[in-house]
């Protein structure tokens, strides 16, 4: 986004870019489900959903790589379908009451809200396409270069210290996912409250016709199909620090729940089991904006469970703020402040 506006951009990453939470997620482009969340969460998520098609065409067009973006739709299993249908009507989104069994003979039944226009992407592919597109736009990507600390003087950032030396720029953006406040340290963190929340996923190999849609349960368990018949099942929400290991207990629980929705999964062994660390924030609202005291320090962090969905809207908001333009989204819920405002916690 900044490179397309003619800026010289350098991204440093402690490992390989787009290999942490953005790689590990399941790629549903919607809140799960939207009627669980308040207006502020839905505002940034809906704007992300609106911008996604264009964002996707841009990165696919420049990189020549497919992200597997598709509007496969999402069925939200719940007894009270009226609540979801009404929310969709009020918010100009397609939503109707259906039975899950109608979408595939392999699925068990159950009343659900069918959200036809929900899309999904394939995380590793969108990461590769975005990185390649950025490189082709002139962004310099420097892997295996951890930012160790943010150096400041006279209300400005003067550099980022790395094992390879100090890096200097006019403007600095902290977008280090779950590690963002760890990198900033207590002095610079302000109201930004981001911590790692582990999520584990199982991957099954089936045929492409077995599951054509995303299925979500009322307690946020889901199955997500890929075009080639792979199915992701998950996930967990575990506050275990920066620990990305997988557990036998989660494997058993996820396998069991997955088979309850799609019984043939009971008979299959998962091919892969992985974990990623969401950048959790107390109210699902990422911090996007300028530091309250340092004029050239910016943040784009704390997207919790919806960072893929909110990627284009977050980038748009950050760009508009950096350029002093009137933002499309209300920036107040995302503002970086010196202290925590009194925000509701979901
Ligand atoms: C299991 C799971 C399922 C999910 N499902 C969905 C979903 O269906 N839909 C959705 O929208 N979202 C989903 N998410 C959430 C989404 O993946 C995240 O919100 C999003 O990826 C966050 O992006 P990010 O760039 O902030 O963080 P990351 O993708 O984690 O990137 C942070 C980057 O910062 C780098 N870094 C960290 N510290 C430093 C440092 N000191 N110096 C240099 N580099 C550093 C890391 O190496 C990493 O590359 C899911 C997440 C998980 C874990």
């Amino acid at each position: 986004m900044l490179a397309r506006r003619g800026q010289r951009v350098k991204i440093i990453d402690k490992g390989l870019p787009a290999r942490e939470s953005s790689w590990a997620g399941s790629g549903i482009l919607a809140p799960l489900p939207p009627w669980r969340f308040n207006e502020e969460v839905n505002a940034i998520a809906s704007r992300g959903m609106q911008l996604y098609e264009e964002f996707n065409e841009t990165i696919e067009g420049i990189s020549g790589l497919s992200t597997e973006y598709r509007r496969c739709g999402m069925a939200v299993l719940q007894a009270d379908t009226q609540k979801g249908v009404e929310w969709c009507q009020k918010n100009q989104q397609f939503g109707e009451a259906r039975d899950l069994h109608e979408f595939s003979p392999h699925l068990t039944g159950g009343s659900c809200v069918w959200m036809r226009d929900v899309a999904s992407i394939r995380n590793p592919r969108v990461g590769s396409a975005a990185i390649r597109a950025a490189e082709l736009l002139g962004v310099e990507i420097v892997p295996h270069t951890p930012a160790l600390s943010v150096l400041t003087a006279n209300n400005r950032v003067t550099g980022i210290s790395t094992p390879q030396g100090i890096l200097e720029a006019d403007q600095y953006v902290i977008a280090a996912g779950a590690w963002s406040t760890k990198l900033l340290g207590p002095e610079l963190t302000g109201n930004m409250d981001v911590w790692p929340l582990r999520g584990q996923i199982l991957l099954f190999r089936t045929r492409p016709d077995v599951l054509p849609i995303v299925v979500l349960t009322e307690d946020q368990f889901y199955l997500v199909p890929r075009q080639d018949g792979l199915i992701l099942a998950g996930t967990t929400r575990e506050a275990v620090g920066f620990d990305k290991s997988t557990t036998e207990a989660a494997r058993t629980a996820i396998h069991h729940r997955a088979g309850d929705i799609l019984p043939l999964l009971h008979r299959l062994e998962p091919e892969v089991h992985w974990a990623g660390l969401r950048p959790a924030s107390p109210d699902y609202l990422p911090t996007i904006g300028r530091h309250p005291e340092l004029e050239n320090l910016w943040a784009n962090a704390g997207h919790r469970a919806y960072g893929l969905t909110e990627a284009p809207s977050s980038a748009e908001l950050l760009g508009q703020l950096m350029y002093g333009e009137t933002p499309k989204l209300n920036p107040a819920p995302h503002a970086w402040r010196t202290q925590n405002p009194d925000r509701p916690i979901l």
Side-chain angles (χ1 to χ4, degrees), residues 13-14 20-22 25-28 147 176-177 179 304-309:
D13 200 293
K14 68 177 174 55
E20 288 289 352
S21 191
S22 302
S26 38
I28 308 167
W179 296 264
R304 198 160 173 154
Y306 304 121
L308 262 288
T309 311

Side-chain angles (χ1 to χ4, degrees), residues 75-119:
V76 185
L77 272 166
Q78 59 180 58
D80 175 15
T81 50
Q82 197 53 28
K83 188 175 174 194
V85 171
E86 276 171 13
W87 185 93
C88 292
Q89 278 164 357
K90 218 167 114 197
N91 291 278
Q92 289 84 48
Q93 291 195 28
F94 181 92
E96 65 182 19
R98 299 275 287 270
D99 191 282
L100 190 62
H101 192 62
E102 296 170 36
F103 296 97
S104 162
H106 301 283
L107 285 164
T108 50
S111 60
C112 62
V113 181
W114 169 230
M115 300 184 74
R116 185 193 60 198
D117 297 327
V118 167

Side-chain angles (χ1 to χ4, degrees), residues 253-326:
I254 295 172
H255 196 170
H256 185 74
R257 296 234 34 206
D260 286 350
I261 301 169
L262 191 65
L264 63 77
L265 295 182
H266 277 312
R267 300 191 301 274
L268 292 181
E269 273 311 302
E271 279 200 1
V272 195
H273 178 191
W274 69 79
L277 301 176
R278 300 174 190 84
S281 44
D283 43 17
Y284 285 81
L285 289 171
T287 302
I288 302 169
R290 193 201 295 267
H291 189 271
E293 281 151 11
L294 301 169
E295 60 189 46
N296 60 345
L297 182 63
W298 302 83
N300 186 10
H303 294 76
R304 198 160 173 154
Y306 304 121
L308 262 288
T309 311
E310 296 166 357
S313 43
S314 302
E316 178 189 64
L317 176 57
L318 181 68
Q320 287 163 341
L321 293 172
M322 290 181 88
Y323 273 80
E325 297 165 358
T326 306

